[in-house]
Amino acid sequence: MAERHPGTTHLLHHFDTAHLPEHLQAVSAPCGDLARQMVDALPDGPELTAGLRKLLEAKDCFVRAAVDAAREE
């Protein structure tokens, strides 16, 4: 990943799941997979960065929804 723009690699770090409990990893991992697929398929640039930021925002929402659901159980 050293050949990628620092902003791209910085955003990808936010898709790591190792720090999450297993039930949240299951929610977060597909977003991380998609982020890595897009980085592999697309060149660095403002649209890739915007897409990764929006995907990160969506991932955070999904994880919060899973946390809320677990609280209600």
Side-chain angles (χ1 to χ4, degrees):
M1 193 61 56
E3 69 278 0
R4 298 309 299 244
H5 187 275
T8 300
T9 56
H10 174 77
L11 282 168
L12 277 180
H13 289 297
H14 293 292
F15 290 96
D16 292 341
T17 62
H19 65 288
L20 295 171
E22 235 178 270
H23 72 286
L24 296 179
Q25 286 181 13
V27 172
S28 180
C31 292
D33 294 342
L34 180 57
R36 285 181 281 284
Q37 287 175 4
M38 293 300 100
V39 168
D40 288 344
L42 300 169
D44 290 327
E47 294 301 326
L48 176 61
T49 300
L52 290 174
R53 286 187 188 280
K54 290 173 188 276
L55 183 58
L56 178 60
E57 182 180 354
K59 188 254 327 174
D60 290 345
C61 291
F62 298 147
V63 169
R64 284 193 299 272
V67 168
D68 290 345
R71 283 188 200 151
E72 293 173 4
E73 290 180 353

